[in-house]
Amino acid sequence: MSDTNARDDEHTYRNAGWDTDIYPMPAFPMLTASNLERTRRWYIQVLGFADVFTFRTPDGAPLLAHLRWSRWADILITPARNPLPDHPAQGLTLNFMTVDADAIAEQAKARGATIIDGPVDRPWNARDVTIADPDGYRLNFTARQQSESSRTVSFEEVMERARKNV
């Protein structure tokens, strides 16, 4: 799925203008990519991010890509000035909300992405899938569990179970 083919019902939190609206961002991650153009295309084509804008040199080389998963879920990507380590941002995972973690996993796997973990149900009523981007950054997509049992358990009950297991 490319950003131009995304259906509104796949991302219910993507309101009108989500892909082009410019607003001050209170916080955002900035990733360094070994190949900015390849990484930019990967986020758009494999995961369905929108390209808000990409600054380019006069000859067309990208200098900065501003990509968006949904409103307030933006990332900026810059080119690496030096070779990246084997595991950039080891221990860091970027989390994005989605409606269907399984659909994201199937889409990403079909387009050659590396699935690190999941999709898997979590005890806090979430279903997650963790995917590696081309430079090894970890992206976690989380959705509400869709199982019958998870819909009958309230958030308060989940928190009470968690407190008992600490």
Side-chain angles (χ1 to χ4, degrees), residues 36-152:
L36 177 53
E37 186 60 35
R38 177 196 68 186
T39 299
R40 182 183 100 29
R41 277 194 314 267
W42 185 89
Y43 274 85
I44 293 167
Q45 294 171 356
V46 173
L47 297 176
F49 277 69
D51 186 334
V52 178
F53 61 82
T54 297
F55 284 121
R56 295 184 180 275
T57 63
D59 66 356
L63 292 173
L64 172 79
H66 178 168
L67 306 179
R68 180 169 295 151
W69 174 249
S70 67
R71 189 164 174 80
W72 307 111
D74 299 44
I75 61 173
L76 274 63
I77 305 174
T78 61
R81 295 181 184 180
N82 298 304
L84 291 177
D86 288 340
H87 301 286
Q90 189 167 356
L92 172 73
T93 302
L94 302 176
N95 289 281
F96 298 93
M97 188 175 159
T98 188
V99 175
D100 187 342
D102 291 272
I104 296 292
E106 289 172 22
Q107 170 184 304
K109 188 174 182 180
R111 294 179 177 163
T114 300
I115 307 296
I116 297 171
D117 186 37
V120 61
D121 288 337
R122 303 292 184 194
W124 47 87
N125 285 352
R127 184 155 178 84
D128 295 344
V129 61
T130 307
I131 301 167
D133 88 349
D135 287 305
Y137 291 105
R138 297 167 54 94
L139 310 166
N140 188 71
F141 293 86
T142 188
R144 284 186 76 174
Q145 284 181 14
Q146 298 301 313
S147 68
E148 197 60 40
S149 62
S150 68
R151 283 186 254 147
T152 60

